[in-house]
């Protein structure tokens, strides 16, 4: 009898089998099990530009106040324009991206479940690594379900013990707490059974499980009603955040913020959980990521295409600091800090303005070095230019930097006009864990305990000037630590602002706003001011109770005969 891959929620999945059919007679061996675990890890990185599951630049950055879509006008990959405009009221109408993301996550879940179904039947004596591999697979399954919950909120939780018939009867109509706890159950199993460190990089560890539990319990603490409004902050969940964050040990912040975004620093001291990519690894084509393949600067032969994911003016303004080197928590967006383009095509910093150095690790700015280089041997100028902006009349002239690698990097590959790299994508780094804990402490009214944590992040930022300055950036940096938090309200503003500065353009922002229950006021205030500068946003409006989550793909609802319940407002 053949063993079929356990599937999720459409005929595409139910008909899917692993390449090369394995029978129950020969599949349940330790050797085959190891290959299945490897395949499950690979599925986490089976990413693409049209159905992203690793880097959240579309769903978490463009959907927020961090970035514009970019590209060659609104019609270029217009589905992302619809996301940016919060115009997704009709599920699947012209939307081929979120259904593909749904599919890709459930394919990853299917691989983990198939591997578990095989490994569960292998006698312990025949497979010494059995318990650890089960823990890794449940971690991977939980990761994919977690990502689906962030995007769609109401999703079915699919496990290896379900038959195909049971899968078809598995609803997505769990309460939020029920779904969070199912995901947490897998992470808890992983925490109990994974080693502190793994000999092979990329494998889930006890640190990764503890960090993910801290993240999950933080999201779960903000209890939402049926229209996604935060109605309670659960104090016991916040205590769990602190408990699990404290279990992440043996890690440290990178000495320079920018190292997190350079290929040579993959799996560095700050990385807690990352998807692994590779090049020149002995395989035919290597294992590079094209998830941000549309996003490189457009008007230069150094890159080629396509100018998507561009920093918003609001994001750029957030990096301004005051006379004491602190953020302007309430007034950062009153005046644009780069007010004009001079005769050389460079952005001119307004007189007297000082900035957080993280801006030059996050944003491409005309006249400032790009990826810490002035020039690139044999290929030319690496200073970011106004001409690199593909459609400045629509999207302005700022670029993105974190997801880019220098064209002379051994990690870099071009496929036609699109750029791929072997740079890992970090899902959680230590700065995340620190700020998870700080957030919980502040919400528990223990904000004085959060002060040194946030200051650790700022101290590292202050030490991250060397690379841009060495490449020729002007020395306008001024950043310092907070002397104190005079109140919980002040500490809370500082925490929210620090998360934005630290994770700008990494795809976290939208999910933060939804978690905190402030997406509607923040994003509509952003749009009200931004549309004056970017008139393509003139009709954009965030609708509370709908736009916090994407619609469940209509094809999934149709396939289950209406078993799946749609999110409100669609």
């Amino acid at each position: 009898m053949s063993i079929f891959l356990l599937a999720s929620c459409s005929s595409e999945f139910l008909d899917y089998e692993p390449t090369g059919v394995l029978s129950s007679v020969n599949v349940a061996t330790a050797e085959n099990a190891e290959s299945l675990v490897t395949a499950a890890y690979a599925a986490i990185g089976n990413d693409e530009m049209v159905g992203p599951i690793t880097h959240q630049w579309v769903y978490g950055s463009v959907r927020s106040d961090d970035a514009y879509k970019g590209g060659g006008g609104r019609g270029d990959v217009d589905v992302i324009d619809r996301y940016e405009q919060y115009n997704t009221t009709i599920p699947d109408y012209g939307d081929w991206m979120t259904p593909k993301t749904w599919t890709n996550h459930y394919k990853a879940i299917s691989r983990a479940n198939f591997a578990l179904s095989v490994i569960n039947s292998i006698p312990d004596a025949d497979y010494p690594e059995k318990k650890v591999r089960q823990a890794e697979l449940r971690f991977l399954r939980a990761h994919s379900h977690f990502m689906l919950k962030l995007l769609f909120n109401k999703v079915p939780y699919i496990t290896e013990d379900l038959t195909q018939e049971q899968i078809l009867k598995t609803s997505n109509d769990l309460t939020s707490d029920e779904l969070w706890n199912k995901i947490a159950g897998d992470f808890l199993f992983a925490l109990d059974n994974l080693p502190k460190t793994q000999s092979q990089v990329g494998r889930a560890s006890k640190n990764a499980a503890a960090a993910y539990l801290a993240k999950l319990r933080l999201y779960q603490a903000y209890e939402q009603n049926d229209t996604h409004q935060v109605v309670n902050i659960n104090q016991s969940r916040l205590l769990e955040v602190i408990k699990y964050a404290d279990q992440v040990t043996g890690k440290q912040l990178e000495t320079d913020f920018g190292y997190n975004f350079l290929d040579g620093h993959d799996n560095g001291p700050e990385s807690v959980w990352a998807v692994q990519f590779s090049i020149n690894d002995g395989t035919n084509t290597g294992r590079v990521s094209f998830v941000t393949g549309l996003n490189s600067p457009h008007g230069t032969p150094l890159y080629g295409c396509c100018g998507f994911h561009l920093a918003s003016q609001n994001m750029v303004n957030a990096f301004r600091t005051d006379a004491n080197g602190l953020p302007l928590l309430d007034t950062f967006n009153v005046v644009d800090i780069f007010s004009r383009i001079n005769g050389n095509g460079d952005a001119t910093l307004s007189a007297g303005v000082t900035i957080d150095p993280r801006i030059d690790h996050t944003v491409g700015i005309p006249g400032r070095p790009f990826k810490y280089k002035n020039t690139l041997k044999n290929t030319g100028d690496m200073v970011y230019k106004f001409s690199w902006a593909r459609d400045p009349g629509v999207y302005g002239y700022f670029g993105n930097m974190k997801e880019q690698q220098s064209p002379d990097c051994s990690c870099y590959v071009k496929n036609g006009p699109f750029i791929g790299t072997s740079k890992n994508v970090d899902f959680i780094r230590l700065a995340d864990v620190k700020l998870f804990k700080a957030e919980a402490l502040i919400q528990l009214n223990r904000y004085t305990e959060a002060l040194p944590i946030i200051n650790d992040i700022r101290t590292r930022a202050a030490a991250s000037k060397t690379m841009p300055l060495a490449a020729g950036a002007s020395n306008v940096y001024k950043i310092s630590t907070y002397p104190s938090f005079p109140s919980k309200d002040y500490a809370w503003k500082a925490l929210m602002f620090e998360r934005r500065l630290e994770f700008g353009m990494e795809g976290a922002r939208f999910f933060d706003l939804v978690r905190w229950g402030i997406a509607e006021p923040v994003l509509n205030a952003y749009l009200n001011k931004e549309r004056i500068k970017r008139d393509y946003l003139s009709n954009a409006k965030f609708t509370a109770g709908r736009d916090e989550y994407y619609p469940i793909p209509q094809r999934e609802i149709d396939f289950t005969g209406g078993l799946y319940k749609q999110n409100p407002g669609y």
Side-chain angles (χ1 to χ4, degrees), residues 289-334:
S289 169
F290 282 95
V291 67
T292 58
L294 293 170
N295 300 354
S296 60
H298 184 76
T300 168
L302 296 173
Y303 289 98
C305 189
C306 295
F308 283 75
H309 192 210
L310 305 179
S312 71
Q313 184 68 61
N314 185 289
M315 170 89 265
V316 171
N317 290 344
F319 288 98
R320 183 175 185 172
T321 57
D322 67 13
N324 297 313
L326 294 174
L328 284 71
L329 301 178
D330 297 310
T331 59
F332 74 94
N333 202 38
V334 171

Side-chain angles (χ1 to χ4, degrees), residues 185-220:
D186 276 343
F187 282 135
L188 286 166
F189 183 88
L191 181 66
D192 290 341
N193 293 283
L194 287 172
K196 188 67 177 178
T197 60
Q198 295 264 29
S199 60
Q200 293 178 306
V201 296
R203 287 192 183 273
S205 66
K206 195 175 291 291
N207 268 341
Y212 233 134
L213 278 163
K215 184 175 185 177
L216 184 148
R217 294 308 192 198
L218 185 62
Y219 274 85
Q220 189 176 14

